[in-house]
Amino acid sequence: MYSISTHCLHAEPLSSALDKLVPYTNNVEIMSDGPHLLTDTKLLESYSFKYSIHAPSRGVNIASVLEPIRRASVEVIADTFALAAEVDASVVVHPGYFAWEYEYELAEQHLRASLAQIRAESIQYGVTYFIENMGNWGYFFLKEPKDLSLLDGALFCLDVGHANECGNLDQFLPSSFAHVHLHDNNGKSDSHESIGKGNINFDVVMKRVAENNIQTPVIEVESFDGALETLDLLTKRYGA
């Protein structure tokens, strides 16, 4: 069964987004940012979905060289874990970024410190989490497969569209990923197109998804219609 991210309905209130997704899937990934930022789980508990949660990312930087910002970012992730534990959800986390190239080594140290704290918080709350690879956005970590060593044993979420935008999807695919975001693009921008609208070979992608035994791949398409088109195509071509 495929999961659908609320990314496709992010301009609407979360309640409206969940209502619209009810007929199409039993699995939803909450993009906990903006209108869908989670502060409690009451709304989620009123539906029968199985959830994963994409932790807040736009104002969060777990690799920040500014220690107060790094600590606050880890606290945001820990708060997300607390909510996730209430609804038995896993969590996707962004790896953060460095603002200046000459700060890379210090930012890497801060990222490793944050990941150690995040690991401890996940154990405390009993929550599974994944670190996601980034698109071609400035000085983000985990844009290239060589950065997987930074995860120090944390589970990896492969964002197929991000890897394609960075021109290294073929290099990421052999990795052992435990969660996956599916969307298409032309390799030039992070457009979150429906499958078939870009240049990604999804036969190869879905073969690796099956080999990694991922039960609920997440459709993370920009538009609601595009998400439904992708769901239909994936189901017909690769099965439920």
Side-chain angles (χ1 to χ4, degrees):
M1 174 65 75
Y2 298 96
S3 176
I4 299 179
S5 168
T6 64
H7 179 86
C8 66
L9 292 161
H10 206 239
E12 301 187 15
L14 182 56
S15 58
S16 173
L18 294 176
D19 284 343
K20 288 185 176 181
L21 291 172
V22 165
Y24 302 104
T25 183
N26 295 322
N27 299 270
V28 170
E29 183 159 291
I30 306 295
M31 181 169 280
S32 183
D33 251 320
H36 296 181
L37 180 67
L38 295 174
T39 57
D40 61 59
T41 59
K42 291 178 182 178
L43 177 63
L44 303 190
E45 291 169 348
S46 67
Y47 294 84
S48 59
F49 292 122
K50 172 64 177 175
Y51 296 104
S52 57
I53 299 172
H54 193 302
S57 60
R58 294 301 174 98
V60 168
N61 181 11
I62 64 173
S64 177
V65 299
L66 302 175
E67 183 61 14
I69 293 176
R70 187 198 71 81
R71 289 198 306 267
S73 296
V74 171
E75 184 177 343
V76 169
I77 303 304
D79 289 345
T80 304
F81 286 171
L83 295 172
E86 294 182 23
V87 291
D88 192 27
S90 57
V91 177
V92 177
V93 178
H94 278 194
Y97 59 92
F98 47 104
W100 305 93
E101 287 189 14
Y102 55 77
E103 291 182 336
Y104 177 89
E105 290 186 3
L106 180 58
E108 180 183 328
Q109 293 173 19
H110 281 219
L111 173 60
R112 290 184 184 278
S114 293
L115 289 176
Q117 290 178 268
I118 287 168
R119 184 183 305 111
E121 295 287 354
S122 75
I123 293 170
Q124 176 182 340
Y125 288 107
V127 168
T128 299
Y129 69 99
F130 316 95
I131 310 298
E132 177 184 358
N133 63 298
M134 294 290 93
N136 194 22
W137 311 334
Y139 298 126
F140 271 89
F141 286 100
L142 202 55
K143 294 197 298 184
E144 301 177 19
K146 66 179 179 61
D147 283 350
L148 288 170
S149 61
L150 296 174
L151 301 188
D152 194 25
L155 296 175
F156 174 45
C157 168
L158 173 63
D159 188 295
V160 172
H162 289 171
N164 192 59
E165 183 193 7
C166 290
N168 52 28
L169 177 57
D170 289 345
Q171 289 72 47
F172 265 117
L173 278 174
S175 65
S176 179
F177 51 94
H179 194 71
V180 66
H181 288 161
L182 302 177
H183 53 101
D184 210 343
N185 62 55
N186 61 7
K188 297 178 181 178
S189 65
D190 186 31
S191 54
H192 285 258
E193 299 282 355
S194 55
I195 288 177
K197 298 293 178 65
N199 60 14
I200 296 176
N201 183 341
F202 275 92
D203 288 342
V204 175
V205 169
M206 296 310 292
K207 181 175 184 290
R208 287 295 296 140
V209 169
E211 289 171 351
N212 279 288
N213 196 32
I214 296 176
Q215 301 299 310
T216 52
V218 179
I219 296 168
E220 196 179 72
V221 171
E222 181 76 17
S223 71
F224 182 54
D225 287 344
L228 298 185
E229 289 173 9
T230 295
L231 176 64
D232 183 61
L233 186 151
L234 288 172
T235 303
K236 288 178 177 177
R237 185 176 296 178
Y238 307 110

